[in-house]
Amino acid sequence: MKSILKFLLPITILTVGISVMGIYLTFYNPLPNYNKDISSENIQNEVTVHRDDYGIPHLFADSKEDLYFAMGYVHAQDRIWQMTLSQMTVEGRFSEFLGDEFLDLDRYLRVLGFQKTAEKIWEALPVEHKRILESYAAGVNTFTSQNSRRLPIEFSLTKMKTITWEPSHSIALIRLMAWEMNTSWWSKAVTGYLYETMTPDDFEQLFQHVPDSALTHEISGTAGNTLIPFLSEEISMRELFESSGGDTGSNAWVADGSVTETGYPLLAGDPHLGMGMPGKWFEVHLNINGQNVSGATLAGSPVIVNGQNDYMAWTLTNVMADDTDFFAEKLHPDSTGFFLSDSLDGEAVYEELAVERSIIKVKDGDEVLNEIRYTENGPIISDIHPEPGLIDQLITMRWTGHEPSNELGVLLGINWAKSFEEYQSLLPDFKVPGMNILYGDISGNIALHVLGDFPQRENPISTRRGWNQDDDWQSSIPFHQLPHVINPDSGWIANANNKVHDDDYPYYITAFWSPSSRYNRIDTLLRGEQSLNTADFKNIQNDIYSNHAQKITGLILPILAQGRNDDQLLTAISYLTNWDFQYATNAAAASILDIFYMKLGENTLQDIFGQEAYSSFIENEYLAVGTLNHLLETSLTEPDTLSDNLLISDDDILNSMKDAVTFLEDSLGTQSYEWRWENLHTVTFKPAIFNKEAGQGDAGTAKQLIVKNILSRGPYPAPGHSMTINKGQYSWEEPFEMTLGASQRRIVDMSDLKSSLSILSTGQSGNPISSHYDDQIELWLNGQYRIFYHHQDEIDRYSNETMTIKPL
């Protein structure tokens, strides 16, 4: 027995030791050492990096080249896996590293052409901007070369190595973000399909609420059939990257000194993005010889997107711009290599299709030849899902994001600008995506400018004819004629992706603005105030009152009163009658109304559209809400203006409410106090790629456990709704888990630009073992903030770890 023990004991110790070592090397070894000094031949002078209690880096340097080298290094320290995913995305290289199940995704990404556009932009960049990007890339690659054996767990799970960071990747990342903001085309795709499948009268009645809706299609039977599959590909991609939701937007407002407690402007912003893990933003503070700039960056890009410096602060919201058009094309009857480019003079003029060929490498598989065909209008997107029998008609896509422009240069200029005049001089060169930029400065100025390239064209929502020059894009709206507001008499400016101009504005920007619920609530809370302070701005950012809910409840309660003898309806009536329209976690009425609203959509619009079209329609909730609200209100106030096919009857409302109560009883129990919003509406922060893969049946148990317990966080009960300022949007297809929300909340007081208030939805680090991976979630859920210091004295006082980067 003793001899057996003597034999087994060393083996047991060795096995345990190997297991412990494996766990350490896999999980803990990749943690970056924020106190380790490093050296590099890529810098001229020493750079110091202080980190505070939340891992936010404060970089001090003597030159921009050294500063941005250090910025690339710290981005890679904390977000190298996220950055690698960005590289794979902009180049369409998932199959190369993850297998042939990603071939369709790679084909789709290569049609979008982020890297191709970035390389064109790179060639035209000023030397100063090229040097910054080269320094930044050198910083990223220095980190990966020094830490090739200390990479985060995701590299072990995928058996991958890092990809060399090229300067053009930073440009492509900005174009990728621009595409994420570009969702008006979703509405165009769906409405185009519905135009082809509905009667003209029903279509016109249904979409009367859409302004500028020149929804006429001379090309019938093709555009919708092509664009719906194209939209499905986009939705699948966003689900993979945990950035679902077609309503990416933001809230922002700025108040001048006439209405603030300090007599200086206050600015607030909270961009609404997907609930991925880690979050989208990486916060940083930069200092060059005493000049400061700080705010939110995208890991992979050296520019601060939403930020502040020693003179000013700014934040961005999505214009919801319509900057994408689809063109029907005709091929030569005798040669599919030529397309019809002009037919205005009665004579057909054909030009040769451009063809771009590339190789898609496939992990453990054969290389695949990928071809993308182009006309003068852009890539042929119908080749992704070609329709049988339509070889003589193709669909191309034209997007302003395929044209070279230098948003990186604009943002770099804003980062270091010292006056309102200098700031304004930079704005005309910002082209993609269409954005509202809100501004305040220490001199007391406040402003909103609409930025972007907005092509002028007739019938903007229609599928266009590639062979008719009348349908070509004409000139863009001149910058000086874009909407803007400077120092208004009201003392404040706000935007929540709502319409930015009045009905007399002569140009077309979009037909698909956000519903006004969030903006109207901001307007109510700001209007008439004379002593606004940061506490007020905190309360507004976390406000969960819904104007939308108030309106819908007011419309349906008189109808529901017809069913007072029905116990189910009586319960619903009781809750809705006594509701304050706050989407608090304990609000049962919130659950009742939201389920009713979805059931009403299913019971009316789904019957009108059909299942496939309805599923695509509700992916863009702004369009769905606007359409259903219009139909409900019109049915109850002007029923004679609707056809019988569209009319929402009293029975539709009563039955939809019964369906809602039945759903709650089946899912949460018959006791109505269990119907609280928190028992339905939750948020789970999930990792890109891995979450979907772990949910598949062939995923190993170990990987599923790692994804659920190490890479993900949640679920957490979450307040809010898609129509509240504190946004908590979910998919109607898979209710009620949040898909979009405030990725950052930020408040800047121009009376003291040495600090700001900020909170991220997750944490600063992308390493799941780091304490900074999730250390802001609880604060974010509870509407709390961190103080983000930007002054040397406070940084010295509150920094916990310091790294020095020295020249060799």
Side-chain angles (χ1 to χ4, degrees):
M1 186 67 177
K2 289 183 179 181
S3 61
I4 294 175
L5 288 175
K6 287 181 180 180
F7 176 75
L8 290 178
L9 186 59
I11 294 177
T12 302
I13 293 173
L14 180 62
T15 301
V16 171
I18 292 173
S19 299
V20 171
M21 181 61 69
I23 292 171
Y24 171 78
L25 291 174
T26 301
F27 295 104
Y28 292 96
N29 188 50
L31 283 173
N33 185 347
Y34 296 147
N35 285 308
K36 180 181 179 182
D37 294 342
I38 66 164
S39 299
S40 174
E41 61 186 10
N42 293 291
I43 64 169
Q44 299 299 314
N45 296 291
E46 186 173 288
V47 181
T48 303
V49 182
H50 299 287
R51 277 186 168 81
D52 64 19
D53 289 345
Y54 291 91
I56 312 298
H58 301 260
L59 282 60
F60 292 80
D62 295 329
S63 70
K64 286 186 178 179
E65 286 79 7
D66 290 349
L67 181 78
Y68 288 113
F69 171 89
M71 191 173 178
Y73 193 93
V74 300
H75 270 170
Q77 269 187 310
D78 282 323
R79 298 287 185 94
I80 188 58
W81 172 249
Q82 187 179 53
M83 294 168 68
T84 301
L85 284 182
S86 296
Q87 290 171 290
M88 293 161 66
T89 303
V90 298
E91 294 194 68
R93 294 176 64 184
F94 284 92
S95 302
E96 178 179 345
F97 301 103
L98 302 177
D100 59 5
E101 63 266 36
F102 290 91
L103 271 171
D104 286 344
L105 174 63
D106 284 342
R107 291 190 181 101
Y108 180 73
L109 291 169
R110 295 190 185 201
V111 164
L112 296 179
F114 304 118
Q115 186 65 21
K116 178 182 177 180
T117 303
E119 289 166 1
K120 289 193 293 184
I121 294 171
W122 167 257
E123 292 300 321
L125 277 187
V127 172
E128 177 190 359
H129 298 162
K130 284 186 175 181
R131 286 176 179 166
I132 287 174
L133 289 179
E134 288 168 341
S135 296
Y136 178 87
V140 175
N141 294 326
T142 296
F143 171 80
T144 55
S145 66
Q146 292 178 353
N147 295 274
S148 60
R149 296 180 181 275
R150 303 182 71 243
L151 297 173
I153 183 177
E154 292 91 342
F155 288 93
S156 297
L157 293 173
T158 55
K159 300 178 181 178
M160 282 180 57
K161 297 180 180 179
T162 57
I163 304 169
T164 300
W165 192 270
E166 302 292 344
S168 60
H169 286 141
S170 295
I171 303 170
L173 176 60
I174 295 175
R175 273 299 191 267
L176 174 62
M177 187 69 174
W179 180 256
E180 189 172 340
M181 298 293 102
N182 176 25
T183 57
S184 281
W185 71 268
W186 295 30
S187 299
K188 293 169 75 167
V190 176
T191 53
Y193 177 82
L194 293 174
Y195 183 86
E196 295 164 3
T197 56
M198 295 177 66
T199 67
D201 287 345
D202 279 358
F203 183 85
E204 183 178 351
Q205 292 171 21
L206 188 63
F207 291 105
Q208 280 183 349
H209 67 289
V210 178
D212 306 306
S213 54
L215 289 158
T216 57
H217 294 257
E218 295 193 22
I219 315 305
S220 62
T222 60
N225 289 336
T226 298
L227 296 182
I228 291 298
F230 188 69
L231 176 57
S232 297
E233 200 70 46
E234 173 71 15
I235 292 168
S236 296
M237 179 185 75
R238 294 194 181 217
E239 289 174 348
L240 191 66
F241 296 148
E242 296 302 321
S243 59
S244 297
D247 306 320
T248 51
S250 307
N251 301 313
W253 57 92
V254 59
D256 70 22
S258 69
V259 295
T260 65
E261 193 174 87
T262 64
Y264 283 84
L266 283 171
L267 178 141
D270 53 295
H272 303 154
L273 298 170
M275 299 284 96
M277 193 78 190
K280 184 74 72 175
W281 301 112
F282 182 95
E283 291 186 318
V284 66
H285 164 230
L286 310 177
N287 180 294
I288 299 178
N289 297 319
Q291 286 185 277
N292 299 282
V293 60
S294 62
T297 68
L298 299 170
S301 170
V303 297
I304 289 175
V305 180
N306 297 307
Q308 69 193 81
N309 60 30
D310 296 325
Y311 307 92
M312 63 191 67
W314 63 92
T315 192
L316 298 165
T317 68
N318 194 350
V319 172
M320 317 304 288
D322 181 4
D323 58 8
T324 304
D325 275 339
F326 299 96
F327 290 77
E329 308 282 359
K330 289 184 178 180
L331 296 180
H332 193 287
D334 300 322
S335 174
T336 57
F338 290 80
F339 69 96
L340 181 62
S341 64
D342 188 5
S343 64
L344 279 182
D345 296 329
E347 181 179 349
V349 177
Y350 291 91
E351 293 184 19
E352 188 172 4
L353 287 165
V355 181
E356 178 185 281
R357 295 180 176 87
S358 63
I359 297 297
I360 300 178
K361 296 180 181 179
V362 181
K363 181 180 180 181
D364 300 326
D366 296 331
E367 294 181 342
V368 175
L369 176 65
N370 187 62
E371 290 189 349
I372 303 172
R373 299 188 293 169
Y374 294 84
T375 73
E376 57 197 1
N377 294 314
I380 297 175
I381 63 169
S382 51
D383 282 352
I384 301 176
H385 293 280
E387 290 294 318
L390 296 178
I391 61 171
D392 65 334
Q393 191 159 84
L394 309 174
I395 303 297
T396 53
M397 179 184 75
R398 186 167 184 181
W399 173 42
T400 57
H402 285 148
E403 303 299 322
S405 54
N406 187 11
E407 289 71 31
L408 179 137
V410 174
L411 290 171
L412 282 171
I414 291 173
N415 287 179
W416 301 103
K418 298 181 180 180
S419 69
F420 188 34
E421 292 73 24
E422 182 181 359
Y423 162 85
Q424 286 183 292
S425 71
L426 296 160
L427 303 182
D429 290 332
F430 192 105
K431 303 297 184 182
V432 185
M435 302 296 285
N436 305 295
I437 185 165
L438 284 84
Y439 167 96
D441 66 28
I442 59 175
S443 298
N445 298 298
I446 65 171
L448 177 151
H449 288 84
V450 173
L451 310 180
D453 182 13
F454 305 101
Q456 299 184 54
R457 68 272 206 200
E458 297 294 329
N459 297 331
I461 308 176
S462 303
T463 301
R464 315 181 75 68
R465 299 162 294 182
W467 58 87
N468 190 321
Q469 292 186 3
D470 288 343
D471 285 0
D472 288 349
W473 282 5
Q474 307 303 318
S475 59
S476 298
I477 303 174
F479 175 77
H480 69 276
Q481 294 185 29
L482 290 175
H484 58 277
V485 181
I486 300 174
N487 296 327
D489 293 339
S490 65
W492 58 270
I493 310 167
N495 184 265
N497 316 117
N498 51 286
K499 192 174 182 178
V500 293
H501 58 72
D502 58 30
D503 293 338
D504 295 330
Y505 186 66
Y507 298 107
Y508 170 78
I509 291 177
T510 187
F512 302 107
W513 308 98
S514 163
S516 60
S517 181
R518 285 182 290 123
Y519 175 80
N520 289 343
R521 180 60 175 168
I522 296 170
D523 177 271
T524 297
L525 295 173
L526 290 176
R527 186 173 295 278
E529 292 292 336
Q530 297 299 317
S531 58
L532 291 163
N533 56 35
T534 55
D536 296 321
F537 274 35
K538 288 180 184 179
N539 291 334
I540 297 173
Q541 281 191 332
N542 289 280
D543 188 82
I544 51 176
Y545 180 92
S546 172
N547 291 76
H548 163 80
Q550 180 190 33
K551 179 178 180 179
I552 300 303
T553 302
L555 288 171
I556 65 173
L557 272 176
I559 309 302
L560 297 179
Q562 301 173 19
R564 286 191 176 275
N565 294 328
D566 185 297
D567 288 342
Q568 285 187 318
L569 293 178
L570 190 59
T571 301
I573 291 168
S574 176
Y575 275 104
L576 293 176
T577 301
N578 295 287
W579 188 25
D580 60 2
F581 311 113
Q582 302 271 348
Y583 275 80
T585 53
N586 64 352
S591 304
I592 294 170
L593 185 73
D594 271 41
I595 298 171
F596 158 79
Y597 197 74
M598 286 192 302
K599 294 296 183 182
L600 185 66
E602 292 173 5
N603 293 337
T604 56
L605 295 179
Q606 184 170 276
D607 289 344
I608 297 168
F609 297 165
Q611 176 61 53
E612 182 180 8
Y614 181 74
S615 294
S616 298
F617 184 77
I618 61 178
E619 285 292 342
N620 190 330
E621 189 179 356
Y622 289 168
L623 178 63
V625 167
T627 303
L628 189 54
N629 282 5
H630 162 71
L631 203 57
L632 177 61
E633 187 170 12
T634 306
S635 295
L636 296 178
T637 60
E638 301 178 87
D640 294 341
T641 64
L642 293 175
S643 70
D644 291 342
N645 190 42
L646 297 179
L647 192 67
I648 295 179
S649 67
D650 290 359
D651 283 344
D652 289 329
I653 294 171
L654 292 167
N655 290 333
S656 295
M657 184 57 76
K658 289 181 181 180
D659 290 344
V661 174
T662 299
F663 175 92
L664 285 165
E665 290 174 338
D666 291 344
S667 56
L668 297 180
T670 57
Q671 301 299 315
S672 59
Y673 64 81
E674 294 289 352
W675 301 353
R676 297 185 303 276
W677 189 230
E678 64 185 344
N679 289 334
L680 283 178
H681 189 247
T682 62
V683 59
T684 302
F685 301 99
K686 302 173 184 176
I689 304 295
F690 291 106
N691 183 62
K692 187 171 183 179
E693 184 178 287
Q696 297 173 349
D698 56 352
T701 302
K703 180 174 286 190
Q704 291 181 20
L705 290 173
I706 289 172
V707 170
K708 182 177 180 180
N709 298 305
I710 296 177
L711 301 182
S712 303
R713 296 293 185 273
Y716 305 100
H721 176 263
S722 64
M723 300 295 152
T724 57
I725 299 175
N726 184 0
K727 189 168 184 177
Q729 185 173 327
Y730 55 84
S731 168
W732 288 18
E733 288 271 73
E734 298 180 7
F736 289 86
E737 186 175 314
M738 273 182 64
T739 56
L740 284 175
S743 53
Q744 179 201 35
R745 298 188 188 102
R746 185 167 153 271
I747 299 171
V748 184
D749 182 351
M750 252 63 75
S751 71
D752 180 14
L753 284 172
K754 294 179 181 179
S755 66
S756 61
L757 297 173
S758 184
I759 197 69
L760 298 178
S761 57
T762 55
Q764 183 78 348
S765 175
N767 192 312
I769 304 303
S770 170
S771 61
H772 303 310
Y773 188 63
D774 59 3
D775 57 350
Q776 298 185 52
I777 292 178
E778 186 174 352
L779 294 171
W780 179 84
L781 287 168
N782 293 326
Q784 297 173 287
Y785 296 75
R786 308 176 343 265
I787 298 177
F788 188 178
Y789 291 107
H790 315 125
H791 191 266
Q792 182 71 58
D793 292 343
E794 283 79 10
I795 292 165
D796 289 342
R797 188 184 313 161
Y798 291 103
S799 63
N800 285 334
E801 296 157 304
T802 299
M803 176 179 72
T804 302
I805 305 175
K806 302 177 180 179
L808 278 175

